[in-house]
């Protein structure tokens, strides 16, 4: 792996913050580095005015840090869609490529990609693409694992993990797919769902990382 950049840390802090309190341990896990590396980087990010730290309130991105995070996420998601649509990549191949490229493209290149793709709202696995002005659409969703028994559920997004995407594709669980949620097998077993009328046993870990909404 390449040495993680400042942008990788900022992105990790942003994503960590969207799931509650930001901890050094969570940042370390997301970036794939040790705890001391995170402490060192956090001091640098404070100097650069990207992050604010306080014993009482914890770790936060400054408005400048948040803009930086959203710009990087925008470039990542546009690149993923560009690679799939224009260069023929499979959706499980694009994450690592986008992780590298997101740090190197110019604002003009980013704008041209967005234009070429018709200013898309979502990346290949359904994650929303922040606007050029840095606005992240707020989407209400729950994981399949939290769906109600007997409900009809439309898939909107899958976590950006190559193994998960391969597994989901093999079961035809793509964004836009409509499934019926039948319930869970006992003793922490798989979730039973219907996909195009076919009964499928979905692994619990996958059911927690595939999101959507219940249809009325
Ligand atoms: Zn990705």
């Amino acid at each position: 792996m390449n040495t993680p950049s400042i942008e990788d840390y900022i992105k990790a802090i942003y994503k960590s913050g969207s799931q509650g309190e930001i901890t050094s341990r969570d940042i370390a896990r997301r970036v794939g580095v040790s705890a001391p590396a995170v402490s060192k980087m956090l001091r640098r990010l404070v100097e650069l005015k990207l992050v604010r730290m306080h014993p009482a309130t914890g770790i936060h991105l400054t408005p400048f840090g948040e803009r930086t995070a959203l710009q990087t996420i925008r470039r990542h998601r546009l690149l993923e869609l560009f690679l799939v649509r224009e260069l023929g990549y499979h959706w499980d191949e694009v994450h690592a490529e986008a992780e590298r490229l997101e740090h190197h493209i110019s604002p003009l290149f980013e704008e041209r990609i967005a234009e070429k793709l018709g200013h898309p709202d979502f990346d290949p696995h359904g994650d929303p693409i922040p606007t050029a002005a840095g606005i992240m659409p707020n989407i209400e969703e729950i994981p399949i694992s939290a769906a109600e028994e007997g409900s009809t559920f439309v898939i909107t997004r899958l976590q950006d993990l190559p193994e998960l995407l391969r597994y989901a594709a093999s079961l035809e669980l793509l964004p836009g797919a409509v499934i019926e949620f039948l319930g869970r097998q006992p003793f922490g077993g798989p979730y039973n769902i219907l996909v195009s009328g076919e009964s499928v046993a979905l692994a619990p870990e996958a059911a927690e990382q595939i999101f959507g909404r219940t249809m009325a």
Side-chain angles (χ1 to χ4, degrees):
M1 192 185 146
N2 296 340
T3 313
S5 69
I6 285 178
E7 288 169 342
D8 290 322
Y9 280 91
I10 296 295
K11 236 175 26 167
I13 295 169
Y14 179 87
K15 289 182 179 173
S16 178
S18 66
Q19 303 194 330
E21 203 196 335
I22 300 166
T23 63
S24 298
R25 187 192 295 192
D26 192 31
I27 299 169
R29 185 183 59 79
R30 286 173 187 271
V31 180
V33 295
S34 66
V38 171
S39 312
K40 201 172 147 207
M41 180 56 96
L42 280 172
R43 284 196 295 276
R44 189 152 164 229
L45 296 176
V46 169
E47 276 166 27
L48 293 169
K49 302 197 181 338
L50 288 158
V51 164
R52 256 196 311 261
M53 273 200 301
H54 193 273
T57 53
I59 302 165
H60 289 282
L61 287 178
T62 62
F64 172 46
E66 193 165 319
R67 269 201 312 281
T68 305
L70 287 163
Q71 264 165 14
T72 311
I73 292 170
R74 174 175 165 80
R75 276 185 251 131
H76 182 100
R77 294 182 179 170
L78 281 171
L79 281 162
E80 288 195 337
L81 190 62
F82 181 76
L83 293 169
V84 167
R85 272 217 213 142
E86 303 294 328
L87 301 184
Y89 279 71
H90 282 286
W91 74 339
D92 60 317
E93 291 175 329
V94 293
H95 180 74
E97 207 77 83
E99 277 293 302
R100 290 171 157 221
L101 292 169
E102 67 186 19
H103 309 299
H104 302 291
I105 64 170
S106 69
L108 178 63
F109 195 89
E110 172 195 318
E111 178 52 30
R112 288 288 157 83
I113 289 181
E115 240 173 73
K116 176 87 182 168
L117 297 171
H119 300 283
D121 294 322
F122 297 97
D123 76 6
H125 48 89
D127 261 330
I129 299 174
T131 65
I135 294 163
M136 178 76 95
N138 188 18
I139 291 167
E140 293 205 5
E141 56 179 22
I142 56 167
I144 292 181
S145 56
E148 255 179 67
E149 241 170 75
S151 64
T152 305
F153 189 89
V154 60
I155 294 172
T156 53
R157 177 173 79 82
L158 295 90
Q159 212 67 281
D160 191 4
L161 303 166
E163 317 84 79
L164 174 73
L165 295 175
R166 278 193 291 278
Y167 173 70
S170 75
L171 300 174
E172 294 178 47
L173 298 174
L174 314 178
V178 174
I179 64 168
E180 229 177 289
F181 184 84
L182 303 177
R184 187 173 190 179
Q185 290 176 26
F187 302 109
Y191 292 82
N192 291 330
I193 57 174
L194 282 182
V195 189
S196 324
E198 299 268 329
S199 174
V200 168
L202 183 65
E205 213 184 310
E208 286 158 18
Q209 301 186 85
I210 302 175
F211 299 83
R213 56 175 188 273
T214 304
M215 292 168 84

